[in-house]
Amino acid sequence: MVLINRKDLIDLFHENGYKVTPQRLAIFECIMGRRDHPSASEIHSELKREYPTISQATIYNTLHILRDIGAIQELGFEDGKTRFDPDTSIHVNLVCTACGKITDFTDEDLVKAWIGMVEKTAKKTVGQRLDLYYKCTHCSRMVSE
Amino acid sequence: MVLINRKDLIDLFHENGYKVTPQRLAIFECIMGRRDHPSASEIHSELKREYPTISQATIYNTLHILRDIGAIQELGFEDGKTRFDPDTSIHVNLVCTACGKITDFTDEDLVKAWIGMVEKTAKKTVGQRLDLYYKCTHCSRMVSE
DNA sequence: CTCCTTATTTGTAATTATTCTAAAGTAATA
DNA sequence: TATTACTTTAGAATAATTACAAATAAGGAG
Ligand SMILES: [Mn+2]
Ligand SMILES: [Mn+2]
Ligand SMILES: [Zn+2]
Ligand SMILES: [Zn+2]
């Protein structure tokens, strides 16, 4: 699921008993606006331009709320950072193992197979994560030079 | 790919120019022996029984070597810990979001669809991660009680 | 088998992403 | 507009991981 407009997000905050603040809207729109699954510190850096006093605590609080209400997905990585994805539907994250760049990819046949697999496990799923690790063209060039 | 016997691992160390030490073998066999994708600190706790002076630095050094030579896969999680999987093949990790328990699941149709999807991306993959998040029966009981 | 060289292990300190705390600020309601 | 509870903020605390240098031991040569 991907929230498209601000009103849906505001409704989602209200439905869950959260107040709407400029920081909360800006944090979500930052994640939505970039297509690269940013980390908390990347979000903080970007938003300090518009909100010079915004604190890390607000970034983390908001990210956890957004995750809890289902607006984003949190992805832990081996470097100890977690990154945030505004698309919570079944899709593949193409992750460059050299530079960390992430792009999304969707494949209908894979989605069908995934849903079939979930049925076989007979488990009530609450989410999923499908990563494909590779070296992006930029990083592939690096090594050969 | 799953390494089954100690000899294969020793060969893999030698092929990659690493010395074979009791600690290195024990760490790998600890991960292989349990089926739950342990964290570094869980491995450390377990091995301190057999090697009372084994240090965290050795655990981390060895885990990174095992990952680099392809004997295990490292899985970062949102709680900041990373966990280690001795199965590097295409398979699904069933992850309980309440207690963190992980079990493996394999589905041939899904594997085929995954391979088909990789071909469509036209990328040379270096690995993958497929997680299904759910609540295990034990943790489901907790909330209803 | 013994010696030597060098990689490995160890204990500890340093780093860093994340979480906690409490004071100050503000959204929502009437 | 006044009230109140929720939110934001700055900074301190926490915890997983990494860095470091001294002690140890694997593996090869003799
Ligand atoms: Mn994504
Ligand atoms: Mn697994
Ligand atoms: Zn790259
Ligand atoms: Zn559980």
Side-chain angles (χ1 to χ4, degrees), chain B residues 62-96:
Chain B
T62 300
L63 289 171
H64 293 157
I65 290 170
L66 288 169
R67 178 199 56 199
D68 293 344
I69 65 180
I72 62 175
Q73 180 177 12
E74 191 173 359
L75 302 172
F77 282 93
E78 297 70 45
D79 64 1
K81 292 181 188 168
T82 70
R83 307 179 63 167
F84 297 88
D85 191 339
D87 185 352
T88 60
S89 68
I90 300 171
H91 72 280
V92 180
N93 296 305
L94 303 177
V95 183
C96 174

Side-chain angles (χ1 to χ4, degrees), chain B residues 7-139:
Chain B
K7 184 177 176 312
D8 290 339
L9 178 62
I10 292 174
D11 288 346
L12 200 56
F13 277 133
H14 286 154
E15 284 163 23
N16 289 276
Y18 291 108
K19 292 183 175 174
V20 176
T21 70
Q23 291 93 334
R24 286 178 178 172
L25 295 175
I27 289 166
F28 181 73
E29 278 163 11
C30 171
I31 300 172
M32 277 293 283
R34 32 201 304 175
R35 305 242 48 92
D36 66 342
H37 306 59
S39 66
S41 71
E42 286 168 338
I43 296 167
H44 192 205
S45 300
E46 177 167 333
L47 291 182
K48 271 197 290 200
R49 287 200 285 273
E50 195 181 354
Y51 299 89
T53 66
I54 198 167
S55 74
Q56 336 174 42
T58 297
I59 304 288
Y60 282 105
N61 286 340
T62 300
L63 289 171
H64 293 157
I65 290 170
L66 288 169
R67 178 199 56 199
D68 293 344
I69 65 180
I72 62 175
Q73 180 177 12
E74 191 173 359
L75 302 172
F77 282 93
E78 297 70 45
D79 64 1
K81 292 181 188 168
T82 70
R83 307 179 63 167
F84 297 88
D85 191 339
D87 185 352
T88 60
S89 68
I90 300 171
H91 72 280
V92 180
N93 296 305
L94 303 177
V95 183
C96 174
T97 52
C99 67
K101 186 169 74 101
I102 300 178
T103 48
D104 286 334
F105 185 77
T106 305
D107 180 64
E108 268 314 309
D109 293 334
L110 178 66
V111 172
K112 283 196 197 102
W114 183 266
I115 293 170
M117 178 278 296
V118 172
E119 279 167 9
K120 288 178 204 160
T121 65
K123 299 203 181 302
K124 235 184 310 201
T125 172
V126 296
Q128 69 289 315
R129 169 177 183 174
L130 289 69
D131 287 356
L132 175 63
Y133 303 108
Y134 75 111
K135 272 227 191 120
C136 76
T137 51
H138 181 260
C139 292

Side-chain angles (χ1 to χ4, degrees), chain B residues 135-145:
Chain B
K135 272 227 191 120
C136 76
T137 51
H138 181 260
C139 292
S140 298
R141 260 200 294 278
M142 295 278 102
V143 285
S144 52
E145 275 163 15

Side-chain angles (χ1 to χ4, degrees), chain A residues 3-14 18-34 43 46-47 50-51 54 58-59 61-63 65-66 69 71-72 86:
Chain A
L3 286 187
I4 327 203
N5 59 59
R6 173 178 292 219
K7 183 176 176 312
D8 290 341
L9 178 63
I10 291 174
D11 288 346
L12 199 56
F13 276 131
H14 286 154
Y18 292 108
K19 293 185 174 171
V20 175
T21 69
Q23 292 92 334
R24 285 178 179 173
L25 295 175
I27 288 165
F28 181 74
E29 278 163 11
C30 171
I31 300 171
M32 277 292 284
R34 29 201 305 174
I43 296 167
E46 178 167 332
L47 291 182
E50 194 180 354
Y51 299 89
I54 198 168
T58 297
I59 304 290
N61 286 341
T62 301
L63 290 171
I65 290 170
L66 288 169
I69 65 181
I72 62 174

Side-chain angles (χ1 to χ4, degrees), chain A residues 96-101 135-136 138-139:
Chain A
C96 174
T97 52
C99 67
K101 187 170 74 101
K135 273 228 190 119
C136 76
H138 180 260
C139 292

